[in-house]
Amino acid sequence: MLVGFLGCYGAIQESQCLLGTFFFFLVILFACEVAAAIWGFMNRDTMSKELINFYDAAYIKAVDVSGSPSKDAAISVLGAFHTTLNCCGKGDDTPLFMQVVTTLCPPRILSSPKPKSCHSELVSLFSEKLYLIGLAALVVAVIMIFEMIFTMVLCCGIRNSPGVY
C-alpha cells in the first residue's frame, strides 16, 4: 500500500523524490520476487512435502472424534484443499475417514467413482503444473519492469520540463 501511494502521489505531485523512492521500492520488490522464484524452484520438493504435512495435520484435526475447538477450522482448511485440487482424503480410506467423508469432501468430488488422493494432487501440483506458477511469476515480473521503466521516464520528464514558478 505504501509503494502504491508513493507512485500515485509522486506522479500527481510530479515529485522526483517520491518517484525515486517508488522506483527504489520496485527494485527491492523485484529482487525479492526473483529470489523467491529461484528459491521456490530449487525447493519445490520440500514445498510439496510441507504442504502434505500441513494437509495431514488438518486431516487429523478434522477426523478427531473428541471435538477439539480447532476442528471447524481444520474442516474449512480441508474444504479449501478439496475444492481447489478436486481431491478427497489421503488415499488410505480408513474406516474413520469413511465415516466423516460426506462432511469433509464436496459432493461433486464424491460423485466420481474413485476420488483422487490429495497427496498425489499436491505432488503433481509442484511437479507437473510448476510452469503455471512460473508463468504467473513471469507476468508479474514483466509488469514490474514496465512500472520501473515508466517511473524513470516520468521522473526524467519532470526533470527536463521547464518549471512554472
Side-chain angles (χ1 to χ4, degrees):
M1 197 165 94
L2 173 70
V3 176
F5 172 76
L6 288 173
C8 288
Y9 195 68
I12 291 170
Q13 294 296 319
E14 296 182 357
S15 169
Q16 285 184 312
C17 180
L18 289 176
L19 288 173
T21 307
F22 175 68
F23 180 80
F24 173 75
F25 279 129
L26 284 180
V27 170
I28 297 297
L29 288 172
F30 183 75
C32 290
E33 179 186 334
V34 169
I38 292 171
W39 182 86
F41 183 75
M42 299 298 285
N43 296 309
R44 63 183 178 269
D45 295 331
T46 306
M47 289 177 21
S48 66
K49 288 176 187 172
E50 287 298 322
L51 268 176
I52 288 172
N53 290 340
F54 179 72
Y55 177 83
D56 288 344
Y59 177 88
I60 289 169
K61 288 180 184 174
V63 297
D64 187 18
V65 290
S66 65
S68 65
S70 60
K71 184 174 183 169
D72 292 334
I75 289 173
S76 65
V77 166
L78 286 183
F81 272 105
H82 294 159
T83 304
T84 304
L85 299 173
N86 289 325
C87 62
C88 184
K90 298 192 297 185
D92 54 3
D93 295 339
T94 61
L96 181 60
F97 179 72
M98 296 311 286
Q99 291 175 357
V100 294
V101 71
T102 55
T103 59
L104 295 180
C105 299
R108 66 179 170 83
I109 296 172
L110 290 176
S111 64
S112 64
K114 176 73 173 140
K116 296 180 278 188
S117 163
C118 286
H119 282 191
S120 63
E121 290 298 308
L122 283 169
V123 170
S124 73
L125 175 69
F126 284 99
S127 61
E128 297 170 3
K129 297 180 179 123
L130 187 65
Y131 68 92
L132 290 175
I133 297 169
L135 184 64
L138 183 64
V139 167
V140 171
V142 168
I143 290 172
M144 288 184 76
I145 288 170
F146 276 113
E147 288 176 352
M148 289 187 277
I149 290 170
F150 290 138
T151 300
M152 280 296 105
V153 167
L154 182 59
C155 200
C156 290
I158 292 170
R159 182 182 318 146
N160 295 334
S161 69
V164 178
Y165 298 106

